[in-house]
Amino acid sequence: MSKKEFGVFLPIANGGWIVSTATPTLDGSYAQNKRAAMLADGYGMDFIMSMAKWRGYGGETNHWGCSLESMTMMAGLAEATQHAKIIATVHTLLMNPGAVAKMVSTLDQISNGRAGLNIVSGSFRDELNQMGAWRDDIDHDERYAYAQEWSTIVNRLWTEPRVDFDGKYFTLEDCVSEPKPVKKPFTVCAGQSERGLRFTVRNADACFVGGKDDAETRSITQMARDIAKEYDESIKCYCMATLVLDKDNTKALAKAQAYREGKDAGAVEGMMRSYGIDPALKDNAMVIRAQGAFMSRELVGDPASVADQLISMLDNTQMDGVMLNFDDYDQGLTLFGEEILPVLRAHYG
């Protein structure tokens, strides 16, 4: 069995990855995120990542309406951890590549070479428009052209003493950025479309993919690997899952059902609207998940059951790893770290 990687997606925004009035409180605070990061690092998880979120979805819970800034928070967590890769998120439309190159170099020093960067080429309109940063002149595919210039500049500033660049969207003249990272930061990107996957293969070390089921997820993964072969590149593929755990299987199932029954319909509607997705679309992966209150695939049960579910999902989708969310990060990470991760490490080597 090939080695797999296991990471945690931190609860940087309130509500986490379940849109429900019935979940344990996730307030998006630094204290909660620090506890989660230290648990994940202490149990030997491979990476710790946070998203960048600038506006929530409303509803009764004001889901994701309160969040910390990713790069700043991850710098703090780099001091609180020792082993796991520390992956911060930036939106290319919002943040200048020259500034980000130096931010990540700073994170690299704080983390002793564990810095990572999640590149987001787009976002929903209201999130950036509130700050005057949305570009109506750049459509979905063109955002990847913009992000390609952005990524090229960042990578050159990480390796070259001086950079001149004359592109469609960016112009640099004798631009310097010191210090350099000790080693190339680990870069990731999420892409589902062929255009997005091509950008990711050319600019990142790993791709986050997801489909409505294992078969669709595997087909996206295969497309990414076919593109990588075309470019003579390599790419890792990760998926995401939300774990609802309890030592008693029946209690875990009951918790998940309570979350579904407590779905915040107003926040789900706001989320669909923000991404321009029609909630009536029955075949859309995001719609399928969100209508059940979960924003990613849910794996529910006692530790032994969830370990089996994770192995099945990883094998069926041919993933290189998985990034995990939890309904309750304190309880969930403890059960995962003590009872599930050792099983996964033994299984995959």
Side-chain angles (χ1 to χ4, degrees), residues 39-260:
L39 279 169
D41 191 62
Y43 285 122
M45 294 182 73
D46 299 289
F47 63 90
I48 299 166
M49 183 167 131
S50 66
M51 66 177 174
K53 182 54 58 180
W54 305 95
R55 188 182 183 95
Y57 299 132
E60 182 180 347
T61 59
N62 187 29
H63 193 81
W64 285 3
C66 178
S67 63
L68 300 180
E69 192 281 316
S70 179
M71 188 73 73
T72 312
M73 188 184 80
M74 299 310 279
L77 295 180
E79 285 278 11
T81 56
Q82 297 180 9
H83 308 293
K85 289 191 284 286
I86 301 294
I87 305 174
T89 295
V90 296
H91 291 172
T92 58
L93 288 176
L94 184 61
M95 302 179 77
N96 181 276
V100 170
K102 188 174 285 290
M103 288 176 180
V104 177
S105 291
T106 305
L107 181 61
D108 179 73
Q109 282 203 10
I110 298 170
S111 65
N112 292 313
R114 295 180 288 129
L117 180 65
N118 175 36
I119 303 168
V120 178
S121 64
S123 182
F124 70 88
R125 187 180 189 278
D126 290 347
E127 188 170 12
L128 299 190
N129 198 50
Q130 66 181 351
M131 297 178 278
W134 184 254
R135 296 283 298 264
D136 284 318
D137 59 319
I138 303 178
D139 62 16
H140 173 271
D141 282 358
E142 190 62 20
R143 283 200 292 273
Y144 284 113
Y146 181 100
Q148 182 60 61
E149 287 193 11
W150 189 99
S151 182
T152 297
I153 290 168
V154 169
N155 278 281
R156 288 184 62 189
L157 288 171
W158 282 340
T159 57
E160 299 177 21
R162 297 176 182 276
V163 174
D164 291 304
F165 189 90
D166 185 14
K168 181 177 180 181
Y169 296 107
F170 295 100
T171 300
L172 277 68
E173 184 177 346
D174 192 30
C175 187
V176 298
S177 183
E178 298 292 342
K180 308 298 185 192
V182 174
K183 62 181 179 181
K184 181 187 177 299
F186 186 78
T187 49
V188 302
C189 187
Q192 309 298 317
S193 66
E194 181 180 349
R195 184 69 183 83
L197 291 173
R198 287 186 179 278
F199 170 82
T200 301
V201 168
R202 291 179 64 191
N203 296 277
D205 300 299
C207 179
F208 284 101
V209 302
K212 66 179 183 293
D213 53 29
D214 284 352
E216 184 175 80
T217 302
R218 186 172 61 251
S219 70
I220 298 170
T221 300
Q222 189 58 53
M223 187 191 306
R225 292 189 172 130
D226 288 344
I227 291 170
K229 187 180 296 184
E230 177 185 332
Y231 289 145
D232 194 25
E233 296 280 359
S234 62
I235 191 73
K236 291 183 176 181
C237 293
Y238 303 143
C239 58
M240 187 166 67
T242 299
L243 304 193
V244 179
L245 291 163
D246 195 279
K247 283 184 172 292
D248 184 291
N249 194 65
T250 301
K251 289 182 179 178
L253 293 170
K255 284 196 296 184
Q257 184 57 32
Y259 301 157
R260 296 184 190 103

Side-chain angles (χ1 to χ4, degrees), residues 318-336:
Q318 299 177 2
M319 288 290 116
D320 296 296
V322 59
M323 181 168 64
L324 301 171
N325 316 296
F326 299 87
D327 60 330
D328 181 325
Y329 279 73
D330 289 341
Q331 180 210 40
L333 275 166
T334 299
L335 285 174
F336 178 79

